[in-house]
Amino acid sequence: MNKKAVIICRCEDVTLQDIHDLLEQGYTSFEEIKRILRVGMGPCQGNTCGQLVQREISKYLKIKLEDVKTQKVRPLTTGVKLNSIKEGAKNES
Amino acid sequence: MISKDLVIIGGGPAGLCAARMAAEAGQSAILIDRNAKLGGQLIKQTHMFFGSEKQYAKTRGIDIAKKLLDDVGSYPELIEVWEDATVVGLYPDKVITVLKQEKYLKIQAKAIIVATGASEKVLAFENNDLPGIYGAGAVQTLMNVYGVKPGNKIIMVGSGNIGLIVSYQLMQAGVEVVSLVEASPNIGGYKVHAAKLRRYGVEINTSCTIKKAIGKEAVEKVVTIKLDENWNEIPGTEKTYEVDAICIAVGLTPLTSLLSMIGCEMKYISELGGLVPVTNKYHETSIDNIYVCGDSSGIEEASSAIVEGYLTGLIASSKLGKKHPKFAELVDDFQSQLENLRNGPFGAKIRQGLKKLGGSVDA
């Protein structure tokens, strides 16, 4: 299989090869992998790649999928223009 | 900041039904949906539903959506609908941030019902980013909402009810379904749907998966491969088909990011589709007055989402002080409807998942 042609995270263009390289280096949690490759940090916030990365971690560590720690989810769920937030704050007071 | 006692996030079957019951109980609410049109996935379901009359069996999904919308529409003084509005943040003090046509708005709620539904699972195979590769939801949107053919020759991956039904809809739209592959040894969906496809000459290949897509600018071919009992590929069993589209229908996973971000206790339950919030039997999460219903609490059929929505709407309103005149009677009715829906062999997986979640069968 050409792992470079398997896209795991479409938003940030991360391939299966990228994920496997990091797993080999000992980065075996979503949070670590996210910080290096930005998986799950694009417009869809991990809705697509989340389960694929979890699966790769579970296969690599030979643990059950439900035992793989999931990523921390933070606001916002999608991109918001700074101007929208600024305008919103104006109406606050 | 806008103040509203009850906010319902998601205007699919679960959210619509929650809104209706809240209104019946006299509870006002804001119902928020990110799409331009309420109804969720129902608006693209052209087939008639199974089940009992109570959950609109023998009615087409799109007509069920109309019915549920009419129900909510009959309480304009109580239910405020925000369309084209995306909830972007949920905070522990029950502040909701919403992006509504470029406007960033905040709502202070007392109770929140999360009915955000599900997202589709995807597959990792070679060239899985080629144009022409769709999720089944996108195929249904194109065909059934916009009247656009997604391709001329397509392969379907996944034999759950969605894979089976969408295959048939593709054929109705004049698309050739060259094959339907299923990784497991058994067909996942109802036999009656599978039998219909077979009668129309569609081959169904179990223990078979997609190995890779081939194409330059878009999908031109697809290679499938057989799997052994341990899900390993069997070399030499590759088969190549000429297609211009691939449809992925390998299941759904609950859309729970809002619940995760506010700090609800979550559990990974594969039978329910992935990460789901832990709930009590009143659909309340580990956080007081934060409720969940429909697919975002675990993947089931739309009929279950409808009943869960009614139930959750009743309970959330009652806790806010607006008790439906027929509260006890309705709660019993909805609980037993859910039990019925989860009975039988097709409910086994859901029953097992709910048991893992915390032993409550009406979660």
Side-chain angles (χ1 to χ4, degrees):
Chain A
M1 193 203 306
N2 177 10
K3 290 184 190 172
K4 283 185 185 163
V6 181
I7 303 294
I8 298 294
C9 171
R10 294 186 292 195
C11 303
E12 298 291 329
D13 213 15
V14 174
T15 68
L16 186 60
Q17 186 68 58
D18 298 329
I19 302 283
H20 282 183
D21 287 349
L22 281 196
L23 288 170
E24 286 296 333
Q25 288 172 43
Y27 298 103
T28 55
S29 78
F30 198 107
E31 288 294 318
E32 288 171 319
I33 295 171
K34 174 163 97 175
R35 277 162 177 73
I36 298 167
L37 292 176
R38 288 188 54 85
V39 278
M41 293 176 80
C44 92
Q45 288 288 295
N47 275 334
T48 315
C49 66
Q51 36 116 358
L52 292 179
V53 175
Q54 299 287 117
R55 177 154 299 153
E56 291 309 315
I57 294 171
S58 100
K59 274 200 275 189
Y60 184 80
L61 294 177
K62 296 191 171 63
I63 58 173
K64 278 197 219 150
L65 205 48
E66 53 233 65
D67 296 329
V68 179
K69 218 174 158 237
T70 51
Q71 68 157 330
K72 169 94 183 104
V73 181
R74 297 181 178 83
L76 310 163
T77 57
T78 187
V80 178
K81 285 179 187 154
L82 278 174
N83 192 53
S84 298
I85 294 177
K86 190 189 88 181
E87 291 298 317
K90 268 188 195 166
N91 308 327
E92 266 314 278
S93 50
Chain B
M1 183 111 59
I2 299 154
S3 280
K4 198 77 195 177
D5 284 358
L6 179 62
V7 175
I8 301 165
I9 307 170
L16 282 170
C17 291
R20 181 202 158 168
M21 269 308 142
E24 268 192 24
Q27 176 63 53
S28 68
I30 298 177
L31 174 62
I32 306 175
D33 196 276
R34 69 178 174 190
N35 295 297
K37 232 171 127 184
L38 294 182
Q41 299 301 304
L42 285 177
I43 63 165
K44 37 181 124 153
Q45 310 299 332
T46 49
H47 64 280
M48 292 183 194
F49 277 52
F50 288 172
S52 82
E53 299 286 343
K54 278 188 172 169
Q55 300 96 35
Y56 313 104
K58 295 189 196 129
T59 308
R60 295 182 193 279
I62 185 165
D63 295 326
I64 300 176
K66 272 181 208 141
K67 169 89 181 58
L68 300 181
L69 275 167
D70 284 349
D71 290 345
V72 168
S74 58
Y75 299 95
E77 69 290 350
L78 286 172
I79 306 296
E80 191 181 327
V81 175
W82 290 14
E83 284 158 338
D84 244 327
T86 305
V87 171
V88 291
L90 209 59
Y91 299 85
D93 53 0
K94 298 192 176 67
V95 168
I96 302 161
T97 53
V98 187
L99 189 64
K100 190 184 176 199
Q101 287 122 28
E102 296 282 311
K103 275 201 178 117
Y104 185 73
L105 305 165
K106 291 182 192 167
I107 309 172
Q108 174 71 64
K110 281 186 188 154
I112 300 165
I113 298 177
V114 175
T116 43
S119 63
E120 287 183 283
K121 288 184 181 171
V122 293
L123 286 177
F125 54 88
E126 257 181 82
N127 301 321
N128 58 347
D129 64 334
L130 276 176
I133 303 175
Y134 301 92
V139 165
Q140 282 190 305
T141 304
L142 280 174
M143 281 195 310
N144 301 349
V145 181
Y146 297 107
V148 174
K149 262 165 89 175
N152 292 308
K153 284 178 96 173
I154 199 164
I155 187 166
M156 178 65 68
V157 185
S159 73
N161 279 329
I162 297 180
L164 297 172
I165 291 169
V166 174
S167 292
Y168 183 66
Q169 292 175 351
L170 280 159
M171 294 170 71
Q172 287 180 309
V175 180
E176 185 188 344
V177 181
V178 299
S179 182
L180 187 153
V181 296
E182 163 61 54
S184 102
N186 303 307
I187 290 169
Y190 296 147
K191 277 274 156 56
V192 49
H193 295 313
K196 190 148 94 179
L197 286 179
R198 288 294 297 121
R199 282 201 300 277
Y200 281 96
V202 177
E203 60 169 39
I204 298 179
N205 284 312
T206 49
S207 298
C208 184
T209 191
I210 183 166
K211 187 172 170 65
K212 63 174 164 183
I214 299 170
K216 220 170 160 200
E217 298 293 320
V219 177
E220 292 163 19
K221 285 174 190 170
V222 61
V223 180
T224 63
I225 191 161
K226 284 284 197 183
L227 299 172
D228 66 18
E229 59 273 23
N230 298 316
W231 309 86
N232 294 315
E233 294 181 354
I234 306 171
T237 60
E238 291 89 349
K239 220 171 153 186
T240 305
Y241 298 87
E242 282 194 19
V243 293
D244 59 0
I246 298 171
C247 183
I248 311 284
V250 294
L252 303 168
T253 190
L255 209 45
T256 54
S257 47
L258 292 173
L259 295 163
S260 288
M261 89 176 48
I262 184 175
C264 291
E265 191 188 339
M266 309 289 288
K267 223 169 172 178
Y268 188 98
I269 313 270
S270 56
E271 289 88 344
L272 299 177
L275 203 61
V276 289
V278 175
T279 49
N280 64 18
K281 65 174 182 170
Y282 300 116
H283 285 248
E284 198 170 16
T285 64
S286 61
I287 302 176
D288 203 36
N289 280 313
I290 302 286
Y291 301 86
V292 64
C293 56
D295 272 356
S296 46
S297 65
I299 306 300
E300 291 185 64
E301 299 285 330
S303 40
S304 304
I306 288 171
V307 184
E308 284 186 12
Y310 286 145
L311 186 60
T312 311
L314 271 183
I315 287 164
S317 314
S318 158
K319 203 164 160 183
L320 286 169
K322 300 275 185 191
K323 200 167 183 170
H324 194 289
K326 289 189 194 162
F327 181 79
E329 185 187 324
L330 286 172
V331 168
D332 280 352
D333 181 23
F334 295 141
Q335 301 268 29
S336 72
Q337 282 188 44
L338 281 175
E339 218 168 280
N340 282 334
L341 285 167
R342 290 163 183 159
N343 254 327
F346 276 94
K349 205 168 105 178
I350 289 152
R351 291 197 301 272
Q352 200 181 341
L354 291 174
K355 208 169 150 197
K356 273 195 198 170
L357 186 62
S360 149
V361 284
D362 45 17

